[in-house]
Amino acid sequence: MLEVNNLMVFFENALALNGLSLEVREGEIVGLIGSNSAGKTTLMNTVSGLIIDMKIKEMRKGGQRITVYGNIIYDGEDITETAPNQRVKKGIVLSRERHPIFPESSVMENFKIAGYLRSKTEVRETMDFVFTLFPPLVKLKNRKAGFLSGGEQQMLAIGRAMVVRPKLLLLDEPLLGLSPLMQKAVVDAIVNLNRESGITVLLSEQFARPVLPMVDRAYVVENGMLTLSGTGPELMNNPEIKAAYFGV
Ligand SMILES: Nc1ncnc2c1ncn2[C@@H]1O[C@H](COP(=O)(O)OP(=O)(O)O)[C@@H](O)[C@H]1O
Ligand SMILES: [Mg+2]
């Protein structure tokens, strides 16, 4: 479904991704594990198109700060130069860490804003599904989004991404800053949305512990390069992973 080939991304002369290649097959949950500054967000932003958008805007201003080499193939089509909104139409939807939701609007209103391109029925159906995925949101329907806890905001962010009907859902550090209990709730919801809607998921995370049990496969990135990849169980038993990413 998604093929990233030899991706290199430079910010000025700093290399954020260095010849990174990976693959996500339809229906999979794939993890991208790496410590701070490893290049996780840059990869997510390159796949969702935000990087190409930044690059085009800078070129219009006469700058040449961002350079991208390599290509991204989605459903057999080269989308390396495709604009982010076109990628959303093709089903690639990014839910960023701490997605800027509308803090003054209620949870319900936030869903409606996200679904402005969808019919009311579609939005309601997705909302019902999201509420089954994230039961804690049900009693918070009318609460201002700004008053939600970190975990609840993350649930809302993923829920909002669901309204756009993703085929490939990109989650950049969805567990960041959450308590272990909240992490588990979010992990369970991601597994459920993958099983029940067949949505393919690529998610990034700093630590291996919460994600390796839930993923089909994972890639480990260090300094913009892939260092390891394998199935969840393979990586869980890998001594290098144990030492570096279990954060004990
Ligand atoms: N907009 C930017 N301008 C300059 N350097 C950046 C920018 N975004 C990321 N970088 C650099 O690229 C590298 C990878 O960053 P990032 O993708 O944010 O890593 P991660 O999400 O894994 O923490 C880091 O060295 C970071 O400083
Ligand atoms: Mg990041």
Side-chain angles (χ1 to χ4, degrees), residues 41 97 172-173:
T41 298
E97 53 186 298
D172 193 11
E173 295 204 52

Side-chain angles (χ1 to χ4, degrees), residues 69-142:
Y69 297 107
N71 62 49
I72 303 167
I73 312 290
Y74 175 74
D75 280 347
E77 185 191 351
D78 189 330
I79 56 157
T80 318
E81 305 283 329
T82 304
N85 61 334
Q86 293 301 318
R87 297 191 202 196
V88 170
K89 282 193 191 144
K90 293 176 193 293
I92 304 177
V93 180
L94 170 70
S95 172
R96 277 191 275 182
E97 53 186 298
R98 292 159 213 271
H99 197 279
I101 47 179
F102 297 95
E104 289 300 316
S105 304
S106 73
V107 166
M108 292 281 271
E109 284 159 355
N110 266 277
F111 279 122
K112 287 180 188 154
I113 299 165
Y116 73 101
L117 289 175
R118 302 282 164 194
S119 75
K120 278 190 176 146
T121 328
E122 276 181 312
V123 174
R124 202 176 319 114
E125 278 170 13
T126 313
M127 249 163 47
D128 289 344
F129 179 58
V130 169
F131 286 132
T132 64
L133 288 176
F134 298 114
L137 284 186
V138 176
K139 60 178 194 303
L140 302 170
K141 273 181 188 172
N142 299 314

Side-chain angles (χ1 to χ4, degrees), residues 55-217:
K55 187 179 134 132
I56 290 167
K57 284 186 180 130
E58 290 193 345
M59 272 162 69
R60 280 199 199 117
K61 285 190 272 174
Q64 278 272 12
R65 232 174 54 87
I66 302 172
T67 319
V68 181
Y69 297 107
N71 62 49
I72 303 167
I73 312 290
Y74 175 74
D75 280 347
E77 185 191 351
D78 189 330
I79 56 157
T80 318
E81 305 283 329
T82 304
N85 61 334
Q86 293 301 318
R87 297 191 202 196
V88 170
K89 282 193 191 144
K90 293 176 193 293
I92 304 177
V93 180
L94 170 70
S95 172
R96 277 191 275 182
E97 53 186 298
R98 292 159 213 271
H99 197 279
I101 47 179
F102 297 95
E104 289 300 316
S105 304
S106 73
V107 166
M108 292 281 271
E109 284 159 355
N110 266 277
F111 279 122
K112 287 180 188 154
I113 299 165
Y116 73 101
L117 289 175
R118 302 282 164 194
S119 75
K120 278 190 176 146
T121 328
E122 276 181 312
V123 174
R124 202 176 319 114
E125 278 170 13
T126 313
M127 249 163 47
D128 289 344
F129 179 58
V130 169
F131 286 132
T132 64
L133 288 176
F134 298 114
L137 284 186
V138 176
K139 60 178 194 303
L140 302 170
K141 273 181 188 172
N142 299 314
R143 184 159 309 172
K144 278 189 184 180
F147 292 146
L148 302 182
S149 75
E152 292 156 359
Q153 292 204 7
Q154 191 55 261
M155 293 178 185
L156 178 56
I158 297 174
R160 279 173 47 91
M162 294 288 293
V163 176
V164 196
R165 297 263 168 126
K167 287 193 210 153
L168 172 62
L169 180 61
L170 307 171
L171 302 171
D172 193 11
E173 295 204 52
L175 308 180
L176 188 73
L178 304 187
S179 68
L181 207 67
M182 264 304 171
Q183 288 193 348
K184 188 173 180 316
V186 171
V187 163
D188 289 347
I190 296 168
V191 170
N192 280 339
L193 74 86
N194 167 262
R195 284 202 191 129
E196 308 208 355
S197 325
I199 295 171
T200 308
V201 179
L202 174 63
L203 90 167
S204 72
E205 169 57 38
Q206 285 199 32
F207 298 106
R209 189 190 298 285
V211 292
L212 284 185
M214 74 178 292
V215 298
D216 294 297
R217 292 182 304 112

Side-chain angles (χ1 to χ4, degrees), residues 229-243:
S229 66
T231 64
E234 275 166 10
L235 292 176
M236 264 187 284
N237 292 315
N238 182 308
E240 280 176 66
I241 295 269
K242 279 186 184 158

